[in-house]
Amino acid sequence: MKAILPAVRLCVLTLILTALCSITYAQTLITDAADYAPGSTCTLTGSGFAAGETVTLQIVHADDPTLNASEPAHQPWDVTADENGGFVATWLVNTDGDQVGATLLATADGQSSGLHAEAIFTDGGPVIERAAPTASNQQDVNC
């Protein structure tokens, strides 16, 4: 029995170390809003990538990634993850009508880790505000 006890302890220790080594951290990509007006700035925040890693970002149309793929706004660009594997980047929402009403897909791909994360957002178009009626702009309509 005394000879078996050290072997059991070794097996348990090996299992614990294996479990701890296989823990992975989930990478994420989020936007600061769900919808953006043309001309506004989308802020992308990523985490869970390798420290100091180059992360390639790209924003495309979710329903057809090839749509307007040659446009400068849809070209990939690189950022560098910080010492904790995180980054913050911005993307200017086009004003040319390409994105208006579109569902967009942002992707982040770690170049050394192979990690991948996605975020979906929309460009619902410009917000149009209407002035509330005041005494000076109200009109009576008689039917």
Side-chain angles (χ1 to χ4, degrees):
M1 183 70 169
K2 287 186 177 183
I4 295 175
L5 192 56
V8 170
R9 285 183 182 161
L10 181 60
C11 286
V12 171
L13 181 60
T14 302
L15 288 173
I16 291 171
L17 289 174
T18 302
L20 289 175
C21 290
S22 66
I23 293 174
T24 59
Y25 296 97
Q27 62 282 359
T28 61
L29 181 65
I30 60 171
T31 60
D32 62 328
D35 184 62
Y36 298 89
S40 62
T41 300
C42 169
T43 300
L44 301 156
T45 303
S47 64
F49 291 87
E53 169 175 42
T54 298
V55 179
T56 300
L57 301 173
Q58 187 171 19
I59 298 177
V60 296
H61 289 264
D63 57 343
D64 182 3
T66 63
L67 183 64
N68 297 321
S70 63
E71 294 286 325
H74 297 296
Q75 297 304 302
W77 77 99
D78 292 337
V79 297
T80 302
D82 63 20
E83 65 277 359
N84 298 313
F87 63 85
V88 176
T90 58
W91 183 74
L92 181 64
V93 180
N94 262 351
T95 58
D96 68 2
D98 167 46
Q99 271 73 248
V100 175
T103 299
L104 300 166
L105 172 67
T107 59
D109 293 298
Q111 296 305 295
S112 58
S113 68
L115 296 173
H116 175 83
E118 298 180 352
I120 292 180
F121 60 96
T122 59
D123 177 359
V127 176
I128 300 172
E129 294 184 23
R130 296 186 179 167
T134 63
S136 63
N137 69 7
Q138 271 185 336
Q139 295 180 5
D140 290 328
V141 178
N142 295 322
C143 297

